Amino acid sequence: MTATKLAPPAERLEQVRAFMAERVLPNERVLNREDAEADALVAELRDEVRALGLWAPHLPPEAGGTGTGFLDYAYLNEQIGRCTWGQLVFGCQAPDAGNGEILHHFGTPEQKERWLRPLVAGELRSFFSMTEPEVPGSDPTTLRTRAVRDGDDWVIDGHKWFSSGADGAGFGIVMAVTDPDAPPHARATQIIVPAETPGVDVVRPVPVLGHAGHGWSTHCEVLYTGVRVPVSNTLGEIGQGFAIAQKRLGPGRIHHVMRWLGQMQRAFDLLCSYALERETFGGPLAEKQTVQNWIADSYAEIQACRLMTLDAAHKIDGGDEARVEISAIKFYAAGVLHDVIDRAVQVHGARGLTDETPLANMLLQARGARIYDGPDEVHRMVVSRRILKSFQRGDGWRFT
Ligand SMILES: Cc1cc2nc3c(=O)[nH]c(=O)nc-3n(C[C@H](O)[C@H](O)[C@H](O)COP(=O)(O)OP(=O)(O)OC[C@H]3O[C@@H](n4cnc5c(N)ncnc54)[C@H](O)[C@@H]3O)c2cc1C
């Protein structure tokens, strides 16, 4: 089956589209303020989403969500992604959604009861603490944070940053080296660390492009000094940290890119509408060939991203890891996301840089996409290495 034949879950998709259009987008300016009024509005919108039966669509009902499968959720993300706040309002915000998924797949019954249940219910938030300032995040086998066994406890020492959402979170999942002598991809373990544990210090939200954020929207520096948690807080097997991270990241990248597609399409709408409306030198911008080229290029790139992403989603759903496809969409879509938003900003002139349109905020968010979940260069490396290996085996590369 080709990507174009995948059938979206029409009824839920329409419900999500309508909720985004009627309740979230008109409130975006209030939500962007990230103040007490915005927090109250998020709580109100979340209640409405629950009442509609659309809450936590990334997880199945047995885990507390309303999910109906990986592909369905991929399509929903295209609508949810039209505004940054959509994921928070639908209870599937990063990194909680990914943390929820790995707790669901690898957590013990006790861990699920203590951490997954309140996480999915939206009673607390979480963070994923892997990247460290001193070593390259793109090569996580170099991590320095250590967890040393002491009886029935782990004692964790380390320095992390870019732990998104750590401000005000209830717990973190910390990637720590537990066996420095093991092969590189068996050295690290994921450990659940309650935020109030002595020795956990959320030092500061690190400002990103000048934005420090608040609560969920922060990217925090976190120090772990003699942090003692029971060994029963180990998520999955000891030494399985990278394997679990891979399980989380592969499908997670599909969902990121589907949300980016929502952003791209919104920017495209604004690009086309304003080009028709704004007149310079005796006619609308839509009549200038440069602007027409921007529209045509944006259309082609968005459509290519969409088909590539649905193709990768379909392959994953069929049990394939789709490593080449996922890495290809990660770097390709991150570039298209940036370029389409940037063209839409340009067509708006100075207005595009103000808060009169959502574009300035969208552009700010889009820049990180070329770095988080693996920088562009690393994904290009993965794509080319795998393809070249296939050629070295004499198989060439078949486009399917
Ligand atoms: C908005 C945002 C949110 C994030 N949230 C989280 C989070 O919640 N939890 C978490 O643990 N981390 C998070 N991160 C961190 C992110 O995962 C890392 O930034 C990423 O893995 C890259 O690591 P680094 O920043 O250390 O860059 P480095 O690894 O030091 O790389 C620097 C640059 O080197 C280049 N480079 C690297 N490898 C190669 C190569 N093989 N070939 C060519 N060039 C190369 C790339 O251009 C890269 O940008 C977040 C980052 C951002 C921007």
Side-chain angles (χ1 to χ4, degrees), residues 95 127-133 135-139 160-165 208 219 248 368-378 381:
F127 57 99
F128 186 71
S129 207
M130 179 153 115
T131 305
E132 303 177 1
V135 292
S138 42
D139 181 7
K160 303 284 190 181
W161 75 341
F162 280 88
S163 293
S164 299
V208 173
H219 306 289
R248 168 203 177 107
R370 292 185 51 209
I371 295 176
Y372 60 72
D373 277 5
D376 287 359
E377 294 73 19
V378 173
M381 179 180 79

Side-chain angles (χ1 to χ4, degrees), residues 299-354:
Y299 162 75
E301 290 163 9
I302 294 170
Q303 183 72 345
C305 270
R306 191 167 190 277
L307 293 176
M308 285 168 74
T309 310
L310 292 176
D311 175 59
H314 178 65
K315 285 177 175 151
I316 289 185
D317 199 49
D320 189 331
E321 273 198 310
R323 295 284 280 270
V324 167
E325 289 83 351
I326 286 184
S327 279
I329 56 167
K330 172 63 177 63
F331 77 77
Y332 182 64
V336 173
L337 173 71
H338 174 272
D339 291 352
V340 174
I341 298 172
D342 191 62
R343 289 170 194 142
V345 167
Q346 190 69 14
V347 91
H348 280 78
R351 178 171 284 114
L353 300 174
T354 69

Side-chain angles (χ1 to χ4, degrees), residues 215-239:
W216 170 64
S217 67
T218 57
H219 306 289
C220 296
E221 179 181 356
V222 187
L223 265 176
Y224 301 87
T225 312
V227 173
R228 190 174 277 276
V229 295
V231 170
S232 57
N233 279 22
T234 306
L235 185 57
E237 302 292 323
I238 294 171

Side-chain angles (χ1 to χ4, degrees), residues 128-322:
F128 186 71
S129 207
M130 179 153 115
T131 305
E132 303 177 1
E134 291 84 8
V135 292
S138 42
D139 181 7
T141 59
T142 59
L143 289 180
R144 291 190 187 162
T145 295
R146 286 293 314 270
V148 176
R149 183 98 184 233
D150 181 21
D152 287 338
D153 290 340
W154 290 117
V155 179
I156 305 171
D157 286 280
H159 183 201
K160 303 284 190 181
W161 75 341
F162 280 88
S163 293
S164 299
D167 176 40
F171 71 96
I173 298 180
V174 179
M175 183 82 118
V177 175
T178 42
D179 183 357
D181 301 322
H185 287 97
R187 285 180 196 156
T189 301
Q190 296 197 14
I191 302 171
I192 302 166
V193 176
E196 77 276 6
T197 313
V200 176
D201 180 11
V202 179
V203 180
R204 60 176 178 138
V206 180
V208 173
L209 295 173
H211 180 252
H214 156 72
W216 170 64
S217 67
T218 57
H219 306 289
C220 296
E221 179 181 356
V222 187
L223 265 176
Y224 301 87
T225 312
V227 173
R228 190 174 277 276
V229 295
V231 170
S232 57
N233 279 22
T234 306
L235 185 57
E237 302 292 323
I238 294 171
Q240 235 194 349
F242 287 114
I244 297 177
Q246 198 51 48
K247 286 264 180 245
R248 168 203 177 107
L249 284 172
R253 286 182 180 125
I254 298 275
H255 300 136
H256 268 316
V257 177
M258 290 305 288
R259 285 196 295 271
W260 297 349
L261 277 159
Q263 293 277 295
M264 291 173 205
Q265 289 166 49
R266 190 164 178 214
F268 186 72
D269 292 350
L270 292 164
L271 168 60
C272 295
S273 308
Y274 199 74
L276 287 166
E277 176 192 323
R278 187 71 158 182
E279 302 215 350
T280 64
F281 297 96
L285 287 171
E287 284 176 5
K288 320 290 180 219
Q289 192 161 26
T290 299
V291 176
Q292 291 173 351
N293 288 344
W294 288 341
I295 292 169
D297 288 350
S298 298
Y299 162 75
E301 290 163 9
I302 294 170
Q303 183 72 345
C305 270
R306 191 167 190 277
L307 293 176
M308 285 168 74
T309 310
L310 292 176
D311 175 59
H314 178 65
K315 285 177 175 151
I316 289 185
D317 199 49
D320 189 331
E321 273 198 310

